[in-house]
Amino acid sequence: MACISVSAMPGSTRNRASRRAKLPAALAFARANAVNRRLIDGPKRRYGIIAAGKAAMDTLEALEQMGLGDGRAAAIGITFLKIGMPYPLDRETVRTFADGLEEVFVIEEKRRLLEVGIKDAIYDLPEARRPRVVGRTDENDQLLIPEVAEFSSDEVIRALAGRIAHFHVSDTIKARLAFLDDKVKRGLARNGLAIQRVPYFCSGCPHNTSTKVPEGSRAHGGVGCHYMSTYMDRDVSAHTHMGGEGANWIGQAPFTTTGHVFQNLGDGTYFHSGLMAIRACIASGVNITYKILYNDAVAMTGGQPHDGTITPMSISAQVAAEGVKRIFVVTDDPSKYPPDARFAPGTEIEPRHRLDWVQKELRETPGVSVLIYDQTCAAEKRRRRKKGEMADPPRRMFINQRVCEGCGDCSVASNCLSVLPLETEFGRKRQIDQSSCNKDYSCAEGFCPSFVNVIGAKPKRLAAAIEVPRNLTLLPVPTLPPLDGGHAYNILITGIGGTGVVTIAALLTMGAHIEGKAFSTIDQFGMAQKGGAVMSHVRIAANDEALGPARLSTGSADLILGCDSLVTSGEAALGSIDPKRTHVVVNAHQAITGQFAMNPDLTFPSEAIARRIGAETGDGRLDMLDATRLATALMGDSIAANLFMLGFAWQKGLVPVSQAALMQAIELNGLAVEANKAAFDWGRRAGHDLASVEALIGKPAGPQLDTLEALLAHRRADLEAYQDRAYADRYEAFIRRVAAAETAKVPGHSDLAMSVARNLHKLMAYKDEYEVARLYSEPQFRERLAAQFDGLDRVELMLAPPLLARRDSKSGKIRKMTFGPWIFPVLERLARLKRVRGTAWDVFGYTAERRTERALIGEYQGIVERLMAGLDAGNHARAVAIAEIPAKIRGFGHVKAPAIAMARAAWSKQMADWATGKPAVASAAE
């Protein structure tokens, strides 16, 4: 056997050159240029600190907060060596620094690289001059600096204060430690919130639909935006490294009774390395369907193009060549493929409303199958439309709130964050946020007649029509925060990913740069650009030496610009508040989270959020305003809210950058320049006189229904319009009886009568064909359209008439039909036929759904009669809860049927317990 000398290998010569020439040269360069330098030193050298990079900045800030800045650390014997070149470590510099000190504290993040090197460097110093070295742990192996995750100056203070306590203590150090301990205690004592701001799919994101799986199936996650489906209620579990998608199933399949799984695979990952995993699954013979999610961009990291040319056609050809036998393409628009599109032979193309059917077909297909889901990334669509690179459809969606039942089926169908709750006098309904809507239209797949196609219209912008009052024309210029040479002005910006929070930070820092000021910024978002929590830490100072670390430490914020109240109420933001220092400006708008798509009754905890923020903020240092409502009304776009907030804070004298510099930064940004300037100006006006700005747009109108008489009059009038006066009389007579019984048995209370008034009206005003026709014929419908849109060319309705609608030939689902403007005169005539409702002439009343709806009215009245008979002070609250059960009956057709079944089951259980006096153990509405 041949033997090769290691010294003769080609690499050994290069290794010798590196160690004998290059490394010494690097050390010489570092010494000549003071790359490793003492930041603190003096004649009383006693205690040494060594740190590098961010840890060095954290240490300097810690010393400042301990009252040991400006030469005071050197005066008590502390010396500090900042390592600018950790490798190769300058052993001589370290030895000279450490020689004669009593202890050296090595402060570093993550692995103990410096600590080990320093211990090695000073090992052979004479014992009398060799200091003790501590770092990650102390001499008793107790943790000093966290070994996982990030640390800040807070952890350095706690550790360093203990190490120097034997020769230096002060009131400043004690106060800082007490402040940090108090912050921890307050955080632990705070109650958690019911909702969180977690990353979520963008409005109109193709993954809202593509990551769904049929009932009884499960899918595996992977790398990409679609990973977020793993924490949604979508039966998507597990994920693996990039390119390993599906390979984990090869190992799992033999040891589970599950016969088949779906595997989500992004198109970028497929092109990078995912094809190899598909090849491995084919070779292994496992049953798996790859859902290749073709969204035409590397969306997770900013919408970059793919590394090379890739199309649904080429993907189908590649996987077919690898041996995949059955391939489907599912898309939002099958017509976009030309007749000669070169798909692999046998490729089947289906519209996205048949996705469930396609997946059921593929899960019964042995071996490896592929579903290519083709729909362009919503964020990329928005970018391209703004640049004129993609056609912007003239169609927008609008929800008729009076027809809407608030069932949430539109959110189930679309999973879309642009479908928002709308609180009305008839309860919670739905509305479309036109500012964030990316025109995916999947919300209209919800089985509901309230969806309207608005063609050729644009969201109404009111700013041009609003004349600025004289008192808001010439605004006083505020005194901006001064910047002294030793301290930075610290701003924490909190908000929702995708709304321009990072842009605000960029404008501030660019403005500071224009003025020649020093600045630093760090943006914390991860995948949170997809609707999750975003925080930007901004420091602005007179010079670089005053900046400190980029990340704000506990209690170090001078201003918190809270562009979202939920994120601002989180522990990270609250921790940065010092009640004696921090001013907090918060957008109090109730911005929903992704959880709302799964829970239509989710309530935004506005009061709890306000209490959490207010409890941490000093007197007179908190401003809360609904900037989103104001900006939308004034500018026609909710995206203007963040610039509005910046203008508000600037006018309050809380931003250390001039207006001229900020305006120049907006111009340099180059996007929506005039709109952004206008939003800033309106924010300034609100900061000067919020009441005057509020008065310009007015407050949301609506009847006050907080008394029984007001509620009864309101609901009676609606029932009279719904049917006739006799119908309304029946309703009022029954409510009067309930109110009398409640007053007699539980004096001073009206909760039961109020509940019955709301819920009996809901059951009596069931939305049949005549009622839907009436609600579309009301002038208020056109008024709401006109209030929201300019330039209405055409209005269409999306309905599923029981005598006309057909089921899809493959999925079996009832498909809604689109009706043009000609339908409105028909609806007006149909509405006038309401008097035949419930009679032998009612052709719609013979369906099972209508018979059930009529029966519910009598059932509910019978239950209320029993409640009145047994009512007393002890069971009053329970009676109210039982009376509220109909509030859960919402929707139309197959959506409403299970809600009715659940309500009847709840009634049966609760009334059985009521009869026996059994204590309630769960909510009556469950």
Side-chain angles (χ1 to χ4, degrees):
M1 181 185 301
C3 181
I4 301 176
S5 170
V6 173
S7 62
M9 293 179 68
S12 62
T13 302
R14 291 194 296 270
N15 191 45
R16 281 197 299 272
S18 295
R19 294 196 173 276
R20 296 181 183 178
K22 293 182 179 180
L23 294 183
L27 288 171
F29 175 86
R31 290 173 189 146
N33 292 278
V35 173
N36 306 309
R37 64 186 187 275
R38 298 184 189 185
L39 300 182
I40 300 174
D41 206 17
K44 295 174 58 176
R45 302 180 74 253
R46 176 176 186 174
Y47 193 87
I49 302 172
I50 300 179
K54 175 184 175 297
M57 303 301 290
D58 288 331
T59 302
L60 289 174
E61 183 174 56
L63 291 170
E64 180 71 29
Q65 292 170 342
M66 295 169 71
L68 296 175
D70 300 326
R72 282 167 291 194
I76 66 170
I78 291 178
T79 181
F80 181 18
L81 174 65
K82 179 184 178 184
I83 299 295
M85 187 175 74
Y87 184 84
L89 182 64
D90 188 344
R91 293 165 54 88
E92 289 306 315
T93 296
V94 170
R95 285 169 62 87
T96 303
F97 173 79
D99 196 347
L101 298 175
E102 68 179 44
E103 179 173 291
V104 171
F105 187 5
V106 183
I107 302 173
E108 62 183 325
E109 292 185 297
K110 300 180 181 178
R111 298 191 178 185
R112 297 165 58 244
L113 300 177
L114 276 181
E115 182 182 345
V116 172
I118 289 165
K119 287 178 176 178
D120 181 63
I122 69 173
Y123 177 76
D124 58 349
L125 278 175
E127 183 176 355
R129 305 198 327 254
R130 185 173 65 242
R132 178 196 305 114
V133 179
V134 295
R136 180 77 69 231
T137 60
D138 63 14
E139 62 273 24
N140 299 314
D141 205 31
Q142 298 299 305
L143 200 65
L144 285 174
I145 295 294
E147 57 188 338
V148 294
E150 182 186 20
F151 66 80
S152 69
S153 60
D154 301 341
E155 289 75 19
V156 176
I157 290 172
R158 289 190 176 96
L160 186 57
R163 302 309 299 179
I164 67 173
H166 64 285
F167 69 89
H168 179 76
V169 293
S170 70
D171 291 340
T172 302
I173 293 175
K174 292 177 182 177
R176 182 62 183 173
L177 290 173
F179 179 81
L180 296 178
D181 290 342
D182 182 63
K183 277 289 188 181
V184 171
K185 291 176 183 177
R186 293 173 71 87
L188 293 174
R190 268 191 291 269
N191 293 325
L193 295 172
I195 63 175
Q196 293 179 314
R197 183 76 65 199
V198 296
Y200 215 76
F201 296 142
C202 300
S203 297
C205 174
H207 300 325
N208 280 322
T209 300
S210 67
T211 56
K212 294 178 180 179
V213 294
E215 186 176 353
S217 291
R218 83 166 196 254
H220 290 175
V223 175
C225 295
H226 59 86
Y227 165 79
M228 288 183 272
S229 63
T230 60
Y231 53 75
M232 299 176 190
D233 187 18
R234 298 207 157 198
D235 296 307
V236 178
S237 61
H239 65 281
T240 184
H241 62 277
M242 188 174 191
E245 287 88 346
N248 48 351
W249 179 240
I250 297 173
Q252 295 174 19
F255 305 101
T256 177
T257 56
T258 301
H260 171 275
V261 296
F262 291 93
Q263 174 64 58
N264 295 327
L265 178 65
D267 50 357
T269 301
Y270 167 85
F271 191 75
H272 176 270
S273 52
L275 180 60
M276 304 297 288
I278 296 177
R279 182 180 298 164
C281 285
I282 293 170
S284 301
V286 295
N287 293 332
I288 186 171
T289 295
Y290 275 91
K291 288 202 287 185
I292 301 175
L293 310 175
Y294 183 85
N295 59 10
D296 197 18
V298 185
M300 185 173 68
T301 53
Q304 299 91 342
H306 296 120
D307 293 335
T309 302
I310 179 175
T311 66
M313 288 73 81
S314 64
I315 293 173
S316 70
Q318 283 180 319
V319 297
E322 293 291 345
V324 176
K325 302 301 183 186
R326 195 162 191 198
I327 305 168
F328 271 96
V329 174
V330 175
T331 178
D332 59 330
D333 182 15
S335 65
K336 65 185 174 184
Y337 305 124
D340 58 348
R342 301 181 66 179
F343 285 103
T347 300
E348 302 172 69
I349 301 174
E350 294 290 350
R352 69 179 176 187
H353 68 259
R354 288 180 177 162
L355 174 65
D356 189 68
W357 172 82
V358 169
Q359 291 185 108
K360 288 176 180 177
E361 286 283 301
L362 291 178
R363 73 180 177 184
E364 302 302 324
T365 301
V368 178
S369 55
V370 166
L371 188 163
I372 303 170
Y373 189 94
D374 177 14
Q375 182 179 335
T376 302
C377 165
E380 190 59 24
K381 275 184 180 179
R382 196 177 188 94
R383 294 187 192 104
R384 293 176 187 177
R385 287 167 179 167
K386 284 184 177 180
K387 295 177 181 178
E389 298 173 358
M390 177 180 280
D392 189 0
R395 173 188 174 200
R396 287 185 174 272
M397 301 307 304
F398 175 81
I399 297 176
N400 186 343
Q401 66 185 56
R402 284 293 281 119
V403 177
C404 173
E405 279 281 277
C407 66
D409 195 48
C410 50
S411 292
V412 172
S414 66
N415 200 47
C416 183
L417 292 178
S418 288
V419 181
L420 304 180
L422 175 65
E423 305 301 335
T424 75
E425 64 267 35
F426 290 100
R428 175 177 284 188
K429 309 297 182 179
R430 296 293 182 274
Q431 63 180 331
I432 303 295
D433 181 356
Q434 302 297 337
S435 299
S436 64
C437 176
N438 285 320
K439 302 183 180 181
D440 171 66
Y441 309 126
S442 58
C443 54
E445 296 291 328
F447 193 75
C448 171
S450 67
F451 279 83
V452 181
N453 285 330
V454 181
I455 311 298
K458 294 183 178 180
K460 186 179 289 292
R461 297 180 181 273
L462 302 181
I466 294 178
E467 182 177 351
V468 180
R470 180 176 300 177
N471 67 315
L472 298 178
T473 302
L474 297 176
L475 302 177
V477 177
T479 301
L480 303 185
L483 297 177
D484 60 48
H487 300 87
Y489 189 86
N490 302 329
I491 303 174
L492 180 67
I493 309 170
T494 65
I496 305 170
T499 63
V501 174
V502 174
T503 300
I504 298 298
L507 294 176
L508 280 171
T509 53
M510 177 54 73
H513 172 68
I514 291 169
E515 293 187 315
K517 296 171 180 173
F519 64 88
S520 67
T521 182
I522 181 171
D523 303 314
Q524 296 180 302
F525 50 82
M527 285 176 63
Q529 67 269 31
K530 311 294 182 181
V534 174
M535 289 191 293
S536 289
H537 301 242
V538 177
R539 292 183 187 248
I540 301 174
N543 52 64
D544 290 340
E545 289 71 23
L547 279 176
R551 186 178 182 273
L552 273 59
S553 58
T554 300
S556 65
D558 293 291
L559 167 66
I560 293 183
L561 192 62
C563 299
D564 175 59
S565 61
L566 182 56
V567 180
T568 308
S569 70
E571 295 301 329
L574 296 181
S576 68
I577 297 175
D578 181 340
K580 298 179 181 179
R581 171 181 182 178
T582 311
H583 199 114
V584 184
V585 179
V586 184
N587 182 357
H589 181 69
Q590 298 183 17
I592 65 165
T593 69
Q595 293 158 289
F596 177 73
M598 296 176 280
N599 179 6
D601 295 317
L602 188 70
T603 301
F604 195 85
S606 297
E607 293 182 3
I609 287 172
R611 284 196 302 270
R612 285 166 67 98
I613 298 173
E616 296 298 312
T617 310
D619 292 341
R621 293 180 176 271
L622 173 62
D623 288 290
M624 297 192 75
L625 65 154
D626 192 340
T628 300
R629 183 178 70 86
L630 292 170
T632 303
L634 294 165
M635 304 293 297
D637 195 336
S638 62
I639 203 70
N642 292 349
L643 259 298
F644 184 96
M645 290 286 291
L646 180 61
F648 184 95
W650 190 90
Q651 188 63 31
K652 291 286 186 180
L654 301 172
V655 179
V657 181
S658 70
Q659 181 182 8
L662 289 173
M663 294 304 101
Q664 189 175 345
I666 290 174
E667 291 170 0
L668 290 172
N669 187 49
L671 295 175
V673 173
E674 295 307 317
N676 285 332
K677 287 183 177 181
F680 183 87
D681 287 342
W682 276 113
R684 283 193 62 196
R685 293 168 188 141
H688 175 64
D689 188 348
L690 180 58
S692 293
V693 175
E694 289 270 12
L696 285 175
I697 65 172
K699 295 185 177 180
Q704 297 298 313
L705 305 178
D706 50 358
T707 66
L708 178 60
E709 289 303 319
L711 179 63
L712 182 56
H714 181 266
R715 295 300 199 261
R716 178 196 160 81
D718 186 68
L719 286 175
E720 192 167 336
Y722 176 88
Q723 184 68 28
D724 53 30
R725 181 176 297 178
Y727 198 62
D729 287 343
R730 283 172 46 197
Y731 166 80
E732 181 176 357
F734 190 81
I735 301 304
R736 295 290 184 195
R737 287 182 53 215
V738 175
E742 185 176 26
T743 299
K745 296 186 177 183
V746 192
H749 288 268
S750 61
D751 293 351
L752 180 60
M754 294 279 285
S755 176
V756 176
R758 287 190 299 268
N759 288 282
L760 180 58
H761 167 271
K762 176 182 176 64
L763 295 178
M764 292 180 70
Y766 60 89
K767 293 191 173 89
D768 57 7
E769 288 73 14
Y770 310 107
E771 177 65 355
V772 170
R774 180 181 77 88
L775 296 176
Y776 272 115
S777 302
E778 283 184 330
Q780 290 89 337
F781 166 62
R782 292 287 178 172
E783 290 169 4
R784 284 191 287 268
L785 279 175
Q788 190 162 6
F789 297 104
D790 281 326
L792 284 170
D793 291 342
R794 180 180 173 89
V795 178
E796 301 172 343
L797 302 186
M798 303 182 70
L799 310 172
L803 303 181
L804 299 176
R806 297 289 181 266
R807 294 185 181 274
D808 185 87
S809 60
K810 293 182 177 179
S811 68
K813 294 181 179 179
I814 296 177
R815 301 291 301 161
K816 292 199 288 188
M817 304 167 64
T818 300
F819 296 86
W822 63 267
I823 194 65
F824 291 101
V826 176
L827 293 178
E828 290 177 8
R829 295 185 181 92
L830 180 60
R832 289 196 288 268
L833 296 176
K834 64 182 181 180
R835 292 186 181 278
V836 305
R837 178 187 284 123
T839 70
W841 300 101
D842 183 1
V843 295
F844 304 110
Y846 293 101
T847 65
E849 181 178 355
R850 297 292 171 258
R851 293 198 303 270
T852 300
E853 288 168 334
R854 290 195 298 271
L856 282 172
I857 300 170
E859 292 175 26
Y860 182 66
Q861 288 179 307
I863 287 169
V864 174
E865 294 278 7
R866 292 172 60 188
L867 295 177
M868 287 191 291
L871 186 65
D872 58 42
N875 60 22
H876 178 258
R878 187 173 189 175
V880 174
I882 295 173
E884 278 293 327
I885 290 177
K888 298 288 186 180
I889 301 176
R890 293 175 293 211
F892 296 85
H894 64 272
V895 176
K896 189 173 188 177
I900 292 174
M902 286 189 289
R904 281 174 163 167
W907 273 332
S908 178
K909 178 181 182 304
Q910 294 296 331
M911 293 311 295
D913 293 342
W914 175 273
T916 60
K918 182 179 178 180
V921 295
S923 169
E926 291 180 349

